[in-house]
């Protein structure tokens, strides 16, 4: 069974940092592009960042570029999101998702999400 | 990148059909056949319902179908059932090598 399990969320002050993790199982992680998508409370989905299977190529939304870094450790089947200079508007549930038909096309498996709250 | 435009809400009675539209530009929806649709129930993670404009992943009911004309994609749900009540989001690849979601549509089954 394909599973994605996020962790690392919590309460952080504006300007602070947080690192999210996503542990994958049930599929060949090293063959799959992976993505982070977030959802602010009561709002819609927002694409955040994507990393290709090898980790060499990365893509970011303008709203997080320069502040967030996506990475992966294929030996540990784990995806990461390092979030720096956090702002109130980064408050959201962060989902990791497995790419389905292409790197930046769609996602057939999602984790349950981890909540990040940026507040003083 | 601006979000794709979806109606905020749609409704229908059990057994009826409804269609949700998703309007973008020639730089996203109109330029690529990389439109997807997701269903999200309250408190749950999204679920992929339609891939590549009109393809259903394994396990998705054939009551769900997708199409595209120009800069507008559509999701049609036929034979509405109570469990279809959820939020629906479209997404598209963009010419900037990013991905954009629609604002979401709340489907109410009357």
């Amino acid at each position: 069974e394909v599973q994605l399990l996020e962790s690392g969320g919590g309460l952080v002050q504006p300007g602070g940092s947080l690192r999210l993790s996503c542990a994958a199982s049930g599929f060949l992680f090293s063959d799959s592009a992976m993505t982070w998508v977030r959802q602010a409370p009561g709002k819609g989905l927002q694409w955040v960042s994507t990393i290709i299977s090898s980790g060499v190529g990365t893509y970011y939304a303008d709203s997080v570029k320069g502040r967030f870094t996506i990475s992966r450790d294929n030996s540990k089947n784990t995806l990461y999101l390092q979030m720096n200079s956090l702002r109130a508007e980064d408050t959201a549930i962060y989902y990791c998702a497995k790419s389905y038909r292409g790197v930046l096309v769609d996602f057939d498996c999602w984790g349950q999400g981890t909540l990040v709250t940026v507040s003083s | 990148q601006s979000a794709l435009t979806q109606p905020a809400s749609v409704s229908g009675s059990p057994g009826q059909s409804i269609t949700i539209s998703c309007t973008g530009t020639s730089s996203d929806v109109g330029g690529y056949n990389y439109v997807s649709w997701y269903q999200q129930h309250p408190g749950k993670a999204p679920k992929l319902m339609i891939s590549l404009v009109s393809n259903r992943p394994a396990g998705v009911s054939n009551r769900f179908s997708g199409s595209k004309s120009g800069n507008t994609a559509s999701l049609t749900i036929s034979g509405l059932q109570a469990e279809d009540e959820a939020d629906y989001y479209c997404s598209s690849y963009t010419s900037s090598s990013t991905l954009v979601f629609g604002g979401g549509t709340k489907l109410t089954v009357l």
Side-chain angles (χ1 to χ4, degrees):
Chain A
E1 181 191 3
V2 176
Q3 282 196 325
L4 297 171
L5 185 62
E6 302 95 337
S7 61
L11 175 64
V12 61
Q13 292 189 337
S17 298
L18 212 55
R19 188 176 84 155
L20 306 182
S21 299
C22 171
S25 61
F27 66 99
L28 198 52
F29 181 76
S30 58
D31 276 0
S32 297
M34 298 293 295
T35 289
W36 289 99
V37 174
R38 68 185 181 185
Q39 186 169 33
K43 302 298 184 182
L45 302 174
Q46 182 186 22
W47 172 76
V48 173
S49 182
T50 294
I51 187 167
I52 68 171
S53 57
S54 67
V56 171
T58 57
Y59 307 84
Y60 296 94
D62 286 344
S63 57
V64 306
K65 199 174 294 183
R67 300 188 300 123
F68 290 11
T69 302
I70 190 172
S71 63
R72 63 192 296 161
D73 186 336
N74 286 344
S75 69
K76 296 182 178 179
N77 287 354
T78 303
L79 174 72
Y80 303 101
L81 186 67
Q82 177 67 44
M83 304 185 296
N84 298 330
S85 303
L86 282 162
R87 307 166 180 167
E89 54 264 36
D90 296 318
T91 294
I93 296 172
Y94 284 73
Y95 295 100
C96 67
K98 168 185 165 294
S99 287
Y100 179 52
R101 294 282 192 160
V103 173
L104 276 167
V105 177
D106 45 30
F107 318 108
D108 64 342
C109 182
W110 297 62
Q112 87 292 343
T114 187
L115 177 62
V116 172
T117 303
V118 184
S119 174
S120 54
Chain B
Q1 179 72 47
S2 299
L4 305 176
T5 300
Q6 297 181 232
S9 63
V10 298
S11 63
S13 299
Q16 287 185 333
S17 294
I18 63 95
T19 296
I20 299 172
S21 61
C22 170
T23 301
T25 69
S26 58
S27 296
D28 39 63
V29 174
Y32 309 91
N33 287 324
Y34 293 154
V35 176
S36 303
W37 290 90
Y38 299 87
Q39 176 191 65
Q40 186 180 34
H41 287 108
K44 301 295 186 182
K47 175 186 177 183
L48 180 64
M49 305 301 285
I50 295 290
S51 170
L52 300 179
V53 175
S54 60
N55 291 270
R56 279 188 308 277
V60 174
S61 170
N62 59 9
R63 297 185 299 104
F64 291 81
S65 62
S67 63
K68 191 186 83 167
S69 177
N71 295 338
T72 298
S74 299
L75 172 71
T76 297
I77 308 174
S78 59
L80 267 182
Q81 300 179 1
E83 63 257 33
D84 299 332
E85 185 162 293
D87 293 327
Y88 290 85
Y89 296 90
C90 61
S91 71
S92 175
Y93 174 77
T94 83
S95 60
S96 302
S97 293
T98 62
L99 187 123
V100 62
F101 283 98
T105 298
K106 181 177 180 60
L107 169 61
T108 300
V109 180
L110 303 171

